[in-house]
Amino acid sequence: MIRIDCPFCGPRDHGEFTYAGDATKVRPAHGSTDMEAWLDYVYFRDNPKGVHKELWHHAHGCRQWLVVERDTTTHDVLSVAFAKPSKSGGG
Amino acid sequence: MSEPIKPMVDIVVSCGAMHFYLSQSDKGTLVFGGDLDGYNTYAQRGNLPLIDHVMAAGVSLMPSLSRLRFHRHWGGVMDMTMDGSPIICKSPIPGLFINGGWCYGGFKATPASGWCFAHTIAQDRPHDLNTRFTIERFSSGHLIEEKGAGPFPWAQ
């Protein structure tokens, strides 16, 4: 069981969350015709053994998207932050 | 895997809708199969929500399982690909061939895939059956989507 300390809801087990993979990939510009860039964005992932920066959606909680740093060998959660910080400074 | 019980199931039960399967070993234990951990991991320990999910599928299919005790579960690393299908092909480097990315399948397909792979190496070209299982399918768009889950290995 992985426990994620949601910055809004507090510590919850991972059953409340939906996993969404690598958080470091940046989508190419909407009109980009660079197929290599799209190929990299859609299909290529590093899958590190160790610290992995990844997206989790708190689907059964506050429904915020979170960026979680997690060790893929121990499941230690090293950091949790909102994927999109609030403009009002709330997170 | 359950505690050993008297003979109960003499076939392999497989339910695609729930992604659950079951058989009984010679020792009497019921052997269950189900989904992936659901995230990138090398921890080889599984997780309780998934065990709960697999058992819920089992009990809904065969309510008589509900009082059985669990003995142990498997924990391994799955070499997932982006479309849930394996890669069996030549590589861009002469003399280097690839057979991998078997996801959670493969065990039952080992003889046929080994035969195709041997053909690929011996003839230096793929057999008809593995022609499409290339690495290039991701750049060409000719994916072999077993489940239609999209490029999300944890959801295959």
Side-chain angles (χ1 to χ4, degrees):
Chain A
M1 184 78 81
I2 299 169
R3 189 175 291 174
I4 297 171
D5 194 2
C6 174
F8 189 78
C9 306
R12 302 295 177 94
D13 80 64
H14 82 256
E16 290 190 10
F17 297 81
T18 303
Y19 183 66
D22 194 334
T24 64
K25 285 288 175 181
V26 179
R27 186 187 171 113
H30 219 69
S32 171
T33 55
D34 181 348
M35 294 313 285
E36 286 299 315
W38 282 107
L39 179 64
D40 181 71
Y41 172 69
V42 177
Y43 293 117
F44 293 171
R45 299 292 181 271
D46 282 341
N47 196 19
K49 188 174 186 179
V51 179
H52 189 228
K53 202 170 181 183
E54 56 198 16
L55 291 165
W56 290 81
H57 180 217
H58 199 180
H60 297 292
C62 59
R63 300 195 64 78
Q64 289 290 320
W65 284 89
L66 307 175
V67 174
V68 175
E69 279 184 308
R70 179 179 60 95
D71 190 314
T72 58
T73 59
T74 61
H75 292 177
D76 288 338
V77 173
L78 309 172
S79 74
V80 184
F82 288 122
K84 194 174 181 184
S86 163
K87 285 175 186 165
S88 60
Chain B
M1 190 173 284
S2 77
E3 60 191 325
I5 56 172
K6 288 180 179 177
M8 177 186 181
V9 184
D10 62 357
I11 54 171
V12 177
V13 178
S14 182
C15 178
M18 293 189 285
H19 195 230
F20 171 85
Y21 53 93
L22 175 159
S23 61
Q24 188 165 20
S25 73
D26 290 343
K27 289 181 183 174
T29 54
L30 293 178
V31 183
F32 311 108
D35 280 308
L36 300 165
D37 285 320
Y39 40 75
N40 297 35
T41 176
Y42 294 87
Q44 295 178 265
R45 64 173 69 149
N47 68 59
L48 280 171
L50 236 301
I51 291 171
D52 188 59
H53 178 70
V54 172
M55 293 321 299
V59 170
S60 67
L61 201 64
M62 294 172 64
S64 54
L65 304 180
S66 66
R67 301 295 295 273
L68 289 178
R69 292 176 179 85
F70 240 132
H71 263 186
R72 58 184 181 272
H73 70 89
W74 183 82
V77 174
M78 300 295 192
D79 52 335
M80 302 304 294
T81 59
M82 280 299 202
D83 61 0
S85 295
I87 296 162
I88 315 168
C89 65
K90 293 172 64 174
S91 78
I93 301 164
L96 181 66
F97 301 85
I98 303 170
N99 185 348
W102 274 93
C103 303
Y104 44 79
F107 304 106
K108 293 183 272 299
T110 296
S113 67
W115 187 66
C116 289
F117 194 46
H119 181 284
T120 306
I121 295 169
Q123 308 272 333
D124 200 33
R125 61 186 165 82
H127 187 275
D128 284 349
L129 294 174
N130 65 313
T131 304
R132 295 181 61 213
F133 289 83
T134 62
I135 273 188
E136 290 78 24
R137 70 177 186 263
F138 297 103
S139 50
S140 71
H142 296 90
L143 301 182
I144 308 169
E145 289 250 29
E146 185 171 290
K147 201 173 172 183
F152 310 112
W154 58 89
Q156 298 291 346

